Amino acid sequence: MTAQHPLQPHPQSMHTFSDDLLGRHDATGLAELIHNGDVSAGEVLQATLARARIAEPFIHGLVTPIPNDGAGMIANKTPAAKTVPGIFAGVPTVIKDNTEVKGFPTSHGTAAIHSHPADETSPFARQLLAQGLVCFGKSTLPEFGFNATTEPAHDTPSRNPWHLQYSTGASSGGSAALVAAGVIPIAHANDGGGSIRIPAACCGLVGLKPTRGRLIDNDAAKTLPINIVSDGVVTRTVRDTANFYHGAERFFRNPKLPAIGKVERPATRSLRIGLVTDSINGHATDSQTRAAVENTAQLLEKLGHKVEPVGVPVASSFPDDFALYWGMLAFGVRANGKRLIHPSFDKSQLDGLTLGLDKAFRRQFYKLPAALWRLHRSYQDYARTMASYDAILTPVLGHTTPEIGYLSPTVDFDTLFDRLTQYVSFTPLANATGAPAISLPASLTEQGLPVSIQLMGKHGGEQTLLELAFLLEETMNWPRIDSQPIRS
């Protein structure tokens, strides 16, 4: 049983898939080739760098220069004798430019700081790299990850490989663009309001935001009054995402959460799945997005699962409360950037979105205590609803991917804020509640851009989400970008 996608990627799409040694292999496949001695890690890295040189003029997913020779990186990743190699040993990747990696500067997507190469690698990056991944660069993001498109005011926008005139999403937009274009099969992403799932949705990828506390938190996340930030990856296959979390648990497992284990296939049990098609903020979902969700619901029912409408499991004040928290983060950056971010911080270089969020927060800061109380309570509200369901099916976004410029930080703040609240209307719930949620491809728009669906799970329920993801990957004909010729 398959869903058909007669539409094709737009002629203005680009990708780097070819008959080189990378082919269409995912990270798991490349790791197997390296492990078996069919190719060397050095050959894989050189082929990756060659693809990056083709893609970067089109998509701009990197903030660091493409290395001329990666031999030193491979040498540093060679395991010592008797060391068990990581699950992705030798596979190239990038790390988002808001996460410290020794030897690379960290700019947080802003012109407001000028950092030097980091002296140490951050805790989560160590967990990621322990799986044997080879980091050759840092990927783009909007200023401090606040926007839902990767269009820094001071730099070239990152472009969607499926159609270069459209957004790649955010805030992990550079990572998603590089994976979708075929440069790498897996890349670091993190998510404070949808920043794994949004770019995954825009670029037709798999993006799982884990349960709060599933992976090692970086220091910044630990300081938040409500930790809304989770790290993870974006990939092209469900098995790469599943293997990433299996490998991550070998490095660190939170004993307060049930183990995910090694998920390799769909479960056979029948599940009860709630269906949400419109968000709590009052904006109706557009027709193409709604159709993708409804078609997925129908498929799940045909496959033996029970799908039924459910109310949004959160108080009606949630959109305003989360927006106030979003503004609080911008206020904190502007007021304490030198101490919290980097000594070189210059608030005069901040973009219009950061300044607008800061100003909006300062007008309503007195509402913060009550908003924080309600956001904390959302954990219990969500858990009560999920006691009756195994998962909830929703859109990822309120409407299809916008063109470059629509969400630019140069747009008038009031207009931009309204556009963002209509667009990013489903993902923040998982951040406030700490629940796991996964974005999966579903169809293509009339413009040849991916439309994705979101599955939300119980706290600690990543295994169920991955099993459902395997099922949909197996039974749906997910769109492929490489139906168009390579552009060079």
Side-chain angles (χ1 to χ4, degrees), residues 5-10 13 15 17 24 162 444 479-486:
H5 302 291
L7 296 172
Q8 300 296 319
H10 194 273
S13 68
H15 67 85
F17 294 104
R24 281 195 57 84
W162 290 80
L444 289 178
R480 289 177 52 156
I481 195 173
D482 62 345
S483 58
Q484 292 288 328
I486 188 171

Side-chain angles (χ1 to χ4, degrees), residues 412-473:
D412 169 75
F413 175 74
D414 290 338
T415 300
L416 176 57
F417 186 80
D418 183 61
R419 289 176 177 178
L420 284 168
T421 54
Q422 291 187 47
Y423 185 51
V424 186
S425 51
F426 291 94
T427 52
L429 178 59
N431 299 91
T433 62
I438 191 168
S439 172
L440 300 169
S443 63
L444 289 178
T445 69
E446 296 168 357
Q447 292 77 30
L449 288 154
V451 181
S452 297
I453 58 92
Q454 175 177 245
L455 288 164
M456 302 178 67
K458 298 176 185 284
H459 293 103
E462 286 92 338
Q463 183 183 89
T464 297
L465 295 185
L466 288 168
E467 289 170 344
L468 279 169
F470 271 113
L471 178 65
L472 293 175
E473 184 181 44

Side-chain angles (χ1 to χ4, degrees), residues 51-229:
R51 285 193 178 189
R53 294 184 191 102
I54 294 171
E56 269 301 279
F58 294 97
I59 63 172
H60 187 60
L62 292 167
V63 294
T64 49
I66 300 170
N68 291 322
D69 184 1
M73 297 175 187
I74 296 297
N76 291 337
K77 293 298 294 184
T78 301
K82 299 182 181 180
T83 298
V84 177
I87 200 165
F88 295 126
V91 176
T93 194
V94 296
I95 290 180
K96 187 174 172 181
D97 195 29
N98 61 359
T99 300
E100 299 275 279
V101 180
K102 185 177 180 179
F104 292 94
T106 304
S107 69
H108 295 272
T110 181
I113 62 174
H114 301 282
S115 66
H116 299 291
D119 294 326
E120 296 183 358
T121 297
S122 64
F124 170 76
R126 291 197 296 270
Q127 184 177 21
L128 182 145
L129 294 174
Q131 298 185 52
L133 292 162
V134 179
C135 176
F136 69 88
K138 304 290 287 290
S139 61
T140 56
L141 72 154
E143 186 166 274
F144 300 111
F146 289 149
N147 207 342
T149 187
T150 305
E151 302 177 46
H154 69 288
D155 199 3
T156 305
S158 296
R159 296 181 178 273
N160 195 318
W162 290 80
H163 190 320
L164 297 170
Q165 299 307 312
Y166 282 76
S167 169
T168 190
S171 64
S172 309
S175 288
L178 290 162
V179 174
V183 176
I184 47 177
I186 185 170
H188 170 232
N190 47 32
D191 192 317
S195 294
I196 294 173
R197 292 158 290 155
I198 293 169
C202 293
C203 294
L205 304 176
V206 178
L208 171 61
K209 186 209 83 69
T211 302
R212 182 160 48 221
R214 171 67 71 185
L215 303 175
I216 296 175
D217 284 328
N218 283 320
D219 292 339
K222 296 175 184 177
T223 65
L224 297 172
I226 301 173
N227 182 7
I228 61 172
V229 180

